[in-house]
Amino acid sequence: TEFRRHNRSSRWNADAHLRAHERSANVEDDAIMRVDTCQLAANNPIEDFYSAAKCLSSRAFLFGVFDGHGGQQCSRHISTNLYPYLCASVLKKHEVVDYPSDQRLEWLFSSSDGHLPNAFKGRETQHIAEYHKQFKKNANAYTGTVREALKLAFETCDKDLAENALPSAKGVIDRHAAMVAASGSCCTLAHIRSRHLHVANLGDAAAVLGVVNPNGSVTARQLSRAHCVDNADEVHRIRIAHPASESQTVLRGGRLLGELFPLRAFGDVRYKWPLDLQKVVLEPLGHPPPQHLFTPPYLSTSPEVFYHKLTPNDRFLVLATDGLWEWLDPDTVVRLVHDHTLGTITQQPYVPKSGTSLRQVREQLKDRARGEQKTKKPIDENCATHIIRHALGGVSGGATKQYERLIDILQVPPGRARNYRDDITVIVIHFNETFLDGHEDDEE
Amino acid sequence: ARWRWARSYTTAVANADVVVCGGGISGTSIAYHLAKRGKKVALVEKDSIGCSGATGLSAGLVSSPIFWQDTSLQAIAQASLDLYSHLATTCKFRYIKCGRTYLASSMANEILLRRMYSRGVVHNDKVELLDCQSEMLERWPFLQTEDVQLALFSPEDVALDPVALCQHLALIAKDYGALIYESNPVLEVHIGDEKQVYGVSTKMGFIETSHFVDAAGIWAGSHLVKALPHQHVQTAAYPCTYSYIHTSKLPTGSVSDMTPIFNDLDGNVMLRTTSFKTLCAGFAEESIRPLARQTGSATPWQHPEPDWNTFDPNLEKLISRCPMLGDCNHGDLIVGMEAYTPDKLPTIGESSQAKGYWVMCGMNGQGLSLAGGLGKILGELMCESQSSTADVARVDVGRFIDLHANNQYLIGRTPEVAALTYSNLYHSHQCHTARNLRMAPIYHQLRDAGAVFGEIMGYERPLWFEKTPKTERNALMSGQDALIGKPEWFERVASEYEACRERVGLMDMSSFSKYDITGEDAVEYLQFLCSANVDEPIGTTVYTGMQHQKGGYVTDCTLSRLGEKKFFMVAPTIQQERVLVWMKKWQAILKARVHVQDVTGAYTALDLIGPSSRYLMGDITGLSMSSNDFPTFRCQEINIGMATGIRAISVTHCGELGWVIYVPNEVAQNVYEKILDAGKEYSLQHAGYYTLRQLRIEKFYVYWGQDINATVTPVECGRLFRVDFKKDFIGKKALEEQVERGVSKRFVQLLVDGHDKETDPWPQGGETILKDGRAVGLTTSAAYGFTLGCQVCIGYVENKEFGVSPEFVSSGHFEIDIAGKRFTCRLNVHSPSLPMISSEHPLHYRPTQ
């Protein structure tokens, strides 16, 4: 009995640990039904962030995970500041209502504090207003696609971010701005407007779409490619951007200049700024320049953008930082989400549609009961938590073994846990089948 | 149109005789009956009269008395119907006497219907039985009747507008002077010195009163009473949800407002089809949920969302019974809420936790059918202390003790009770939930010996003992005996019976209520409460009744004098709370220096029954147990082996030679093992309660609660020889008058002839007794007489006009109607003399003379 009590207590602790930062939101708007999120820290403080918002002008939804490194300053900053740039980048043809730039963004949720220092905030508002003005002015200067707009927003956001860190006319350096610029952040962002899904990726997080087949099985569709040394195209892009003389130094040990793992990121101005500027701004703050810094910039802030038109077979989208992908492959994640969704669907109350006869009600209830017998109720109601549970606890061996592994790995406190795992952030966006199943509108 | 009152207040009323809480059928009924009796009533309802809670959600269906096999509930139901039909003539609301059809597809339910027919046909010759499927199809073409073995049409059932009924009751009460406050929740009930109610705080102000009636339905017992330990009065009722569908009319011309209500007993579903709507309810246990109470007892219940999944088992049965229903639109799935009690009987009376706090709750889904009569009874209790309408023992709040009000117990039990809403429960019925609550210290030894347990008031007692028990068996009986043919325990009880009559049987009687009564005034006090003379020498046991002012039995008990001022009392199990309340009430009235203590849980009672019990007792005590040294009706503290403090009483409660030994619990297992060891020499055999039942009924030994109750006097049941008229006692005057006047009711023993125990329906109690073809009485309990070789019943015959003389009993042709089949029977007014085979032939104690 003592052992069982201890065992149960450990399970409660593990559950509490996993669920501490879980969150679920019923959006039920257009294509999106529900969003589950969860985070598990390995760093102390955590360097991962996530946020979700709606652009009121275009009725687009924005979901992002932000994997920071070298401190949390940059990822935190981006998770709250990127979206205004995106909302300012609404194409004319997608504008439902023309709101001023400072009234376009409606936050759904965020893992970070939405409030910035007042002095800093004023400057950011000014930046965004200026960007919005420029965007509208040059509206026809590019092909006018969402992909281009996203790229422009990313790049401008990063440019302004770096600009904030520059010395003022009087030579004063904002320490906070410099820290934001010195640290870095990857970003995987989903831009969903009606049936149109764009995934803008920067760095080594990933977005995976769960697609169900007519036979009921489910497959994973990658909507992003990690920007790391495994990405041959990315390596090639970097090598040709720099002289052949740097071919041995630009990428060493699988890392940029032998230091940075993701090959694209916000911030990280150490890989972007010239040497003399770094000596003035960063070195006093304890950030020496990297070795072999000859032809900056080495790091790009341009996202790789994938487009996908959502169909009724697309059930969900998983955005997760690389901490998750270390443990689970996309196929497993998609299967976990699918099974979890089945398990939770059978628990939701049945409501008959209007016009259903009692005999039809009975048939539908029988079908559900059949489904219930197949699926099993998951431990976690939150889908994102369910994924993290299986990432660390494993997918085999049953609940007992899973808990054993989970308890082992969770015992290591944040900070020291960094040696065994990375911060994990997961967003699961569940799509609304009914909306996607509706009449096709030929708006493009 | 429905009424609403302009608020009849400018400031809260200063005082009232009675504050009634709850404006549903219970509250308006009691308010009506109290106001009619001249009481100043304040009716307080948190929302609107009749519009919230169970009454507002109910479908307005009233069951007629033939549904109930208990005579008290029959009388209550009849009183309700009388009230409603009277109101329907004077007020205008929907009242449709559509009747109800019960459908049975199994033999068990078929016997139930025949028993209902047997009850009903005495009072109403329009009650019908149909066993022809094509006739059923002709009458109700929308039903699937191929598998229906028997249908019973009950013509007296009614469908009415429950909200209008409540509002009319309230209006009439108002005419009698009642004050009615809607939108006025009760905030607190105040009790002062000696736990007496002195006022009620409501949202509209304070009402001074000495009587508060809690008729708040599922909210009964949840009102704040700060002075009580739990800060509210505890009640043994708990709300559950049942569901029903409200949809359009069936697509057929065969339905009308006069179409009967249909109850499918085997499917456990109900159908009300009219010319404009269809209501279908189901009572599958898996579709019933107890409500979740918040942590604070004062916070309200959450009304749950309808759940089609849990209703699905009922939907399946409904569509298979009425296939046309499947074509109807899904309609609305409505969640009804109702309060249920552990024994499926309502609860009325004054709470022992607070003086002046009365309850009327736990309607078990039959609120409309019973509240009219229960309100009348509660009015009688509050105004006159006694009810003339029906015996209240079965519905008394005092039948429960503290542990029955435990939420976990109630959550476990009440869904099962709710599922039995439209089932008839007989004395053999046992629930399968919330078992093993109260167990004797030797429970596991009895279990290992083969005991099959049944519970009474939560107490598990062996009913019979299996011959070769498996270790992994389920030792708890659930369900009820088949009402036809030999029950499963028959051979085992025959064997146990034989042991008790010819050798020695060991029976666990620990469930009996036990009390120590001590104090300076103990003798005077008990002499006044008891109708027998209790001032006997120390070591004497007296079998006595306690009567109320009208001479009826409050209880039936044994009193053993252990010391000059010390008595030990044993009473029936279901009397544990009620007897204590009665004794404490009179202790206060008489200002007696007496201490009454409930010691039920302190003793294990072992009954050694049979001729060899004398020798066995001698062996285990080392004392002389001869009839001179330890005669019948003697009590003594003895040692058995190493154990001391054992109270041995030479009474067996079934008219056989023997002893009940009350063993302190801490030495119970030691003594039990000692008895078993010594008993091997005498082929001692375990015996269960069913054996006791066969023994005592064959001896014409009436039991309180089963045969006699508060409406029965010693004169009527052959116990007059126990009454001591040379002293003063409660009820003496009434008994003297009855002796002078004669009785119009007389208890008899019936021996049933021509009954085939293999193929005929078995009597259960509640059967009609006929003299020369006319109904003259009812049986109260029944058993198989192993010595007499036939079914034996205890019952009573009545002759309200001319009384029951010896000639009335000895002349004429008597019959008993068991499930519609009549059997000739012989009557005994005294205990028969039963022969024995063994060598010892003691002069047996005669329970009835």
Side-chain angles (χ1 to χ4, degrees):
Chain A
T1 307
E2 193 63 50
F3 171 76
R4 284 178 66 189
R5 198 177 297 127
H6 167 78
N7 202 10
R8 196 178 295 145
S9 174
S10 296
R11 288 185 174 196
W12 284 338
N13 289 337
D15 288 346
H17 195 156
L18 278 180
R19 294 168 182 169
H21 300 289
E22 73 177 7
R23 175 187 270 167
S24 193
N26 288 316
V27 178
E28 287 172 29
D29 194 349
D30 278 359
I32 294 147
M33 180 62 74
R34 196 180 86 249
V35 182
D36 293 329
T37 66
C38 190
Q39 270 192 325
L40 185 67
N43 289 291
N44 186 17
I46 189 170
E47 295 180 346
D48 274 10
F49 287 88
Y50 64 84
S51 57
K54 182 178 180 179
C55 176
L56 298 176
S57 285
S58 62
R59 295 176 54 84
F61 287 91
L62 307 164
F63 300 96
V65 292
F66 307 87
D67 186 350
H69 44 266
Q72 61 161 190
Q73 290 87 347
C74 186
S75 55
R76 184 192 186 105
H77 174 86
I78 294 297
S79 72
T80 53
N81 274 61
L82 175 64
Y83 291 178
Y85 286 88
L86 295 166
C87 290
S89 308
V90 175
L91 302 176
K92 189 79 176 171
K93 59 185 173 184
H94 296 155
E95 230 169 39
V96 178
V97 183
D98 184 16
Y99 289 109
S101 62
D102 59 348
Q103 291 170 30
R104 295 182 157 213
L105 182 61
E106 178 188 295
W107 285 103
L108 296 179
F109 52 81
S110 169
S111 67
S112 68
D113 189 349
H115 302 292
L116 300 166
N118 287 331
F120 201 67
K121 188 177 179 178
R123 198 198 307 167
E124 280 303 304
T125 304
Q126 192 185 319
H127 274 309
I128 290 156
E130 200 176 302
Y131 170 76
H132 183 51
K133 199 187 300 179
Q134 288 294 317
F135 186 87
K136 294 191 77 158
K137 192 162 133 190
N138 305 324
N140 299 317
Y142 38 78
T143 55
T145 64
V146 172
R147 175 174 292 131
E148 294 298 324
L150 291 171
K151 285 184 175 183
L152 186 62
F154 271 57
E155 286 163 8
T156 310
C157 182
D158 186 62
K159 182 177 76 72
D160 290 342
L161 178 164
E163 209 172 274
N164 289 336
L166 294 176
S168 68
K170 296 176 180 178
V172 176
I173 294 168
D174 184 335
R175 275 183 66 87
H176 178 80
M179 297 293 288
V180 167
S183 57
S185 174
C186 301
C187 165
T188 302
L189 176 103
H191 178 287
I192 305 166
R193 186 179 53 81
S194 186
R195 285 182 187 76
H196 307 284
L197 167 61
H198 288 85
V199 174
N201 185 45
L202 196 73
D204 55 2
V208 175
L209 184 70
V211 185
V212 79
N213 301 317
N215 65 7
S217 69
V218 67
T219 54
R221 192 183 215 169
Q222 299 243 146
L223 294 182
S224 66
R225 292 190 301 168
H227 300 130
C228 61
V229 73
D230 299 327
N231 187 337
D233 292 341
E234 189 67 9
V235 168
H236 182 257
R237 177 187 68 83
I238 289 168
R239 287 188 186 281
I240 65 171
H242 295 278
S245 57
E246 297 186 55
S247 60
Q248 297 303 306
T249 58
V250 70
L251 286 166
R252 277 188 297 116
R255 294 170 179 264
L256 190 67
L257 298 184
E259 290 184 9
L260 188 63
F261 185 81
L263 306 183
R264 301 191 196 188
F266 284 102
D268 287 318
V269 290
R270 293 175 66 241
Y271 310 97
K272 297 174 181 175
W273 279 359
L275 193 61
D276 51 348
L277 182 56
Q278 291 193 38
K279 284 182 186 289
V280 171
V281 175
L282 299 180
E283 219 167 275
L285 295 174
H287 298 298
Q291 289 184 299
H292 312 295
L293 186 82
F294 304 121
T295 56
Y298 291 89
L299 188 64
S300 167
T301 316
S302 182
E304 192 174 22
V305 181
F306 287 79
Y307 171 75
H308 175 79
K309 187 168 185 178
L310 294 167
T311 71
N313 295 328
D314 302 322
R315 295 295 164 84
F316 51 85
L317 178 71
V318 180
L319 305 176
T321 55
D322 70 322
L324 178 76
W325 307 111
E326 287 173 8
W327 297 90
L328 295 176
D329 59 88
D331 289 324
T332 304
V333 167
V334 159
R335 183 175 55 76
L336 285 170
V337 175
H338 183 61
D339 290 348
H340 184 272
T341 304
L342 284 179
T344 49
I345 274 176
T346 50
Q347 283 134 49
Q348 282 169 8
Y350 167 82
V351 178
K353 293 193 176 92
S354 181
T356 314
S357 75
L358 283 172
R359 188 168 286 117
Q360 289 167 335
V361 164
R362 190 130 164 71
E363 292 300 317
Q364 288 164 13
L365 288 168
K366 275 199 286 190
D367 288 340
R368 274 167 62 100
R370 229 175 277 130
E372 270 178 60
Q373 283 161 5
K374 276 196 279 189
T375 61
K376 199 182 174 183
K377 186 181 179 181
I379 300 171
D380 302 296
E381 281 182 57
N382 186 306
C383 195
T385 311
H386 181 72
I387 293 169
I388 297 177
R389 176 184 297 273
H390 283 77
L392 301 181
V395 295
S396 63
T400 307
K401 272 265 180 261
Q402 194 183 60
Y403 265 112
E404 282 178 25
R405 299 186 197 110
L406 199 58
I407 290 159
D408 277 347
I409 204 153
L410 289 177
Q411 277 174 356
V412 186
R416 288 194 54 210
R418 187 63 185 88
N419 302 326
Y420 305 94
R421 54 186 170 87
D422 198 358
D423 296 335
I424 304 177
T425 299
V426 179
I427 299 183
V428 183
I429 302 154
H430 301 270
F431 295 122
N432 186 343
E433 281 177 66
T434 312
F435 176 84
L436 298 176
D437 206 10
H439 295 292
E440 293 278 327
D441 58 57
D442 293 14
E443 181 190 355
E444 178 50 66
Chain B
R2 289 176 181 170
W3 280 269
R4 286 286 181 280
W5 284 267
R7 287 176 179 173
S8 51
Y9 68 98
T10 49
T11 177
V13 71
N15 61 72
D17 294 328
V18 184
V19 172
V20 177
C21 174
I25 186 63
S26 297
T28 51
S29 170
I30 184 63
Y32 164 88
H33 282 106
L34 285 171
K36 202 176 171 185
R37 286 170 169 268
K39 295 289 180 187
K40 190 178 178 185
V41 177
L43 175 61
V44 177
E45 159 63 36
K46 65 173 178 165
D47 290 318
S48 301
I49 296 291
C51 294
S52 71
T55 305
L57 292 167
S58 78
L61 306 181
V62 184
S63 300
S64 64
I66 72 165
F67 172 73
W68 282 275
Q69 65 97 31
D70 181 79
T71 52
S72 301
L73 292 175
Q74 287 173 30
I76 293 165
Q78 188 61 53
S80 300
L81 266 184
D82 291 345
L83 172 65
Y84 303 159
S85 64
H86 169 74
L87 286 175
T89 57
T90 56
C91 316
K92 277 280 192 284
F93 61 86
R94 184 168 49 84
Y95 180 96
I96 302 161
K97 202 170 174 182
C98 51
R100 190 191 295 255
T101 300
Y102 295 93
L103 307 169
S105 311
S106 64
M107 178 56 73
N109 284 322
E110 191 180 319
I111 298 295
L112 281 177
L113 291 192
R114 292 188 185 280
R115 292 182 64 87
M116 284 169 68
Y117 178 79
S118 170
R119 294 194 282 274
V121 78
V122 170
H123 308 290
N124 191 323
D125 54 9
K126 288 182 181 169
V127 178
E128 278 183 86
L129 275 179
L130 296 96
D131 59 5
C132 175
Q133 278 97 353
S134 51
E135 192 185 341
M136 296 176 209
L137 190 61
E138 189 191 320
R139 284 176 72 159
W140 311 299
F142 43 88
L143 293 184
Q144 195 282 111
T145 53
E146 283 300 299
D147 62 330
V148 177
Q149 302 301 309
L150 192 68
L152 176 111
F153 176 67
S154 164
E156 297 285 325
D157 288 63
V158 166
L160 52 76
D161 183 346
V163 178
L165 172 64
C166 291
Q167 292 181 346
H168 281 294
L169 284 167
L171 263 178
I172 295 167
K174 197 183 175 193
D175 288 342
Y176 282 117
L179 299 160
I180 290 159
Y181 303 98
E182 293 183 276
S183 306
N184 186 25
V186 167
L187 304 176
E188 186 180 348
V189 180
H190 300 269
I191 63 175
D193 295 336
E194 298 176 41
K195 298 195 174 181
Q196 167 67 54
V197 168
Y198 70 84
V200 178
S201 293
T202 70
K203 191 179 164 192
M204 294 178 183
F206 183 84
I207 307 176
E208 211 179 299
T209 183
S210 56
H211 295 278
F212 177 79
V213 179
D214 193 346
I218 64 167
W219 295 281
S222 66
H223 307 295
L224 181 63
V225 186
K226 278 182 186 163
L228 294 183
H230 294 268
Q231 301 214 313
H232 64 95
V233 163
Q234 290 191 289
T235 55
Y238 200 87
C240 292
T241 61
Y242 61 94
S243 300
Y244 59 95
I245 296 173
H246 185 282
T247 184
S248 54
K249 82 176 273 284
L250 294 181
T252 173
S254 307
V255 296
S256 72
D257 282 358
M258 292 305 294
T259 302
I261 307 158
F262 294 99
N263 273 84
D264 183 349
L265 296 181
D266 291 281
N268 210 356
V269 294
M270 188 169 70
L271 215 58
R272 165 79 174 137
T273 65
T274 68
S275 47
F276 63 97
K277 70 178 180 183
T278 305
L279 296 173
C280 26
F283 299 92
E285 194 177 341
E286 61 264 39
S287 68
I288 288 164
R289 296 269 183 276
L291 283 180
R293 195 197 277 271
Q294 302 292 316
T295 44
S297 66
T299 52
W301 302 101
Q302 296 172 317
H303 193 137
E305 292 297 311
D307 187 353
W308 285 90
N309 277 297
T310 60
F311 191 75
D312 189 38
N314 301 309
L315 188 55
E316 181 190 3
K317 299 272 171 46
L318 285 159
I319 291 177
S320 77
R321 176 62 57 206
C322 181
M324 205 178 283
L325 190 65
D327 303 325
C328 294
N329 191 280
H330 64 76
D332 296 319
L333 182 65
I334 296 164
V335 175
M337 299 184 286
E338 177 59 304
Y340 297 88
T341 60
D343 57 3
K344 204 192 143 193
L345 296 166
T347 302
I348 63 169
E350 185 175 18
S351 172
S352 61
Q353 297 158 60
K355 288 181 193 168
Y357 196 113
W358 301 77
V359 297
M360 182 172 163
C361 65
M363 291 292 154
N364 295 282
Q366 292 279 11
L368 214 49
S369 309
L370 298 174
L374 287 170
K376 187 182 181 192
I377 290 174
L378 190 56
E380 289 166 359
L381 290 177
M382 291 176 73
C383 298
E384 292 156 22
S385 302
Q386 301 296 330
S387 169
S388 56
T389 301
D391 170 55
V392 297
R394 304 271 303 198
V395 298
D396 191 0
V397 68
R399 71 187 190 275
F400 295 117
I401 59 175
D402 286 0
L403 53 77
H404 294 118
N406 179 284
N407 275 355
Q408 290 301 305
Y409 172 75
L410 294 167
I411 287 171
R413 171 61 56 88
T414 50
E416 185 185 0
V417 171
L420 297 165
T421 300
Y422 285 100
S423 301
N424 276 201
L425 308 186
Y426 286 84
H427 68 84
S428 65
H429 185 271
Q430 292 288 329
C431 290
H432 60 82
T433 52
R435 297 290 296 268
N436 282 348
L437 177 63
R438 304 165 74 194
M439 296 175 276
I442 55 171
Y443 172 89
H444 287 287
Q445 281 89 338
L446 295 170
R447 191 186 187 282
D448 291 341
V452 177
F453 291 91
E455 60 125 358
I456 175 160
M457 291 293 118
Y459 209 111
E460 301 289 343
R461 56 183 183 177
L463 300 179
W464 75 92
F465 284 79
E466 293 183 338
K467 192 176 181 179
T468 53
K470 302 186 182 79
T471 49
E472 291 305 310
R473 74 200 169 99
N474 179 12
L476 306 175
M477 190 210 170
S478 61
Q480 62 185 12
D481 293 340
L483 304 183
I484 188 164
K486 277 162 48 177
E488 64 175 307
W489 44 262
F490 185 77
E491 303 299 340
R492 300 300 313 140
V493 169
S495 171
E496 294 167 22
Y497 174 96
E498 198 263 338
C500 291
R501 296 274 285 126
E502 304 298 336
R503 302 190 306 277
V504 63
L506 173 61
M507 201 175 288
D508 174 39
M509 310 277 274
S510 306
S511 63
F512 274 22
S513 304
K514 314 169 197 79
Y515 309 89
D516 279 338
I517 302 158
T518 53
E520 288 295 312
D521 301 331
V523 176
E524 292 81 17
Y525 166 79
L526 287 169
Q527 282 283 57
F528 188 67
L529 260 67
C530 301
S531 50
N533 179 25
V534 299
D535 192 2
E536 299 284 353
I538 292 167
T540 308
T541 295
V542 170
Y543 204 156
T544 181
M546 286 185 177
Q547 326 304 134
H548 54 63
Q549 286 88 337
K550 292 182 179 177
Y553 278 93
V554 172
T555 193
D556 194 28
C557 57
T558 60
L559 262 176
S560 304
R561 189 165 188 174
L562 299 176
E564 278 298 317
K565 293 160 177 134
K566 186 180 182 183
F567 289 84
F568 177 59
M569 178 174 156
V570 179
T573 307
I574 59 172
Q575 290 288 71
Q576 190 170 343
E577 178 72 14
R578 198 185 286 120
V579 165
L580 202 58
V581 168
W582 177 260
M583 288 201 285
K584 290 196 166 184
K585 172 190 169 184
W586 279 99
Q587 180 194 339
I589 293 170
L590 300 170
K591 293 190 173 61
R593 293 167 296 170
V594 160
H595 180 53
V596 181
Q597 190 182 351
D598 180 355
V599 294
T600 304
Y603 290 95
T604 299
L606 301 174
D607 199 351
L608 296 169
I609 308 169
S612 298
S613 61
R614 194 180 293 282
Y615 309 114
L616 177 61
M617 283 291 287
D619 291 350
I620 58 180
T621 59
L623 302 171
S624 169
M625 288 282 160
S626 70
S627 56
N628 292 321
D629 293 323
F630 210 131
T632 301
F633 286 91
R634 218 175 132 71
C635 61
Q636 195 177 313
E637 287 204 353
I638 57 168
N639 305 332
I640 295 182
M642 300 179 288
T644 57
I646 295 162
R647 298 171 175 179
I649 302 175
S650 48
V651 162
T652 59
H653 302 279
C654 58
E656 297 289 331
L657 174 70
W659 279 258
V660 184
I661 54 172
Y662 296 86
V663 186
N665 282 339
E666 59 196 353
V667 297
Q669 294 194 7
N670 181 286
V671 170
Y672 172 83
E673 285 164 10
K674 176 77 67 171
I675 292 169
L676 283 192
D677 279 348
K680 283 175 182 153
E681 185 184 334
Y682 302 98
S683 300
L684 177 137
Q685 193 173 324
H686 284 92
Y689 172 76
Y690 281 172
T691 301
L692 184 77
R693 187 180 169 84
Q694 317 308 313
L695 286 164
R696 65 101 179 164
I697 290 173
E698 199 174 35
K699 282 273 175 65
F700 193 5
Y701 196 139
V702 295
Y703 265 28
W704 197 94
Q706 290 173 45
D707 305 293
I708 59 175
N709 53 43
T711 62
V712 176
T713 69
V715 192
E716 293 164 342
C717 66
R719 297 275 182 90
L720 193 60
F721 66 103
R722 294 255 177 85
V723 177
D724 180 13
F725 285 101
K726 292 192 249 32
K727 61 161 189 170
D728 193 26
F729 59 88
I730 306 169
K732 177 182 175 179
K733 201 174 167 74
L735 291 183
E736 285 176 335
E737 286 172 10
Q738 195 175 48
V739 168
E740 226 174 287
R741 189 181 63 237
V743 292
S744 57
K745 176 166 146 184
R746 183 83 168 96
F747 271 74
V748 293
Q749 186 187 50
L750 303 95
L751 312 183
V752 182
D753 291 332
H755 184 279
D756 186 336
K757 62 181 183 287
E758 302 283 348
T759 58
D760 281 327
W762 279 45
Q764 304 290 321
E767 286 84 22
T768 304
I769 303 169
L770 306 108
K771 176 181 174 167
D772 300 323
R774 272 180 58 253
V776 292
L778 285 172
T779 62
T780 52
S781 58
Y784 186 79
F786 290 99
T787 301
L788 296 170
C790 63
Q791 300 284 351
V792 180
C793 302
I794 296 177
Y796 59 87
V797 293
E798 276 186 301
N799 191 357
K800 288 199 165 76
E801 289 176 271
F802 304 109
V804 177
S805 61
E807 192 186 39
F808 181 91
V809 176
S810 60
S811 66
H813 179 236
F814 283 90
E815 292 173 297
I816 177 178
D817 184 327
I818 309 173
K821 191 172 182 182
R822 293 193 179 180
F823 299 86
T824 302
C825 50
R826 292 163 285 140
L827 265 61
N828 284 329
V829 288
H830 301 303
S831 295
S833 177
L834 304 181
M836 280 171 31
I837 297 168
S838 73
S839 55
E840 182 171 355
H841 281 259
L843 182 64
H844 276 166
Y845 157 74
R846 306 283 293 271
T848 310
Q849 295 175 16

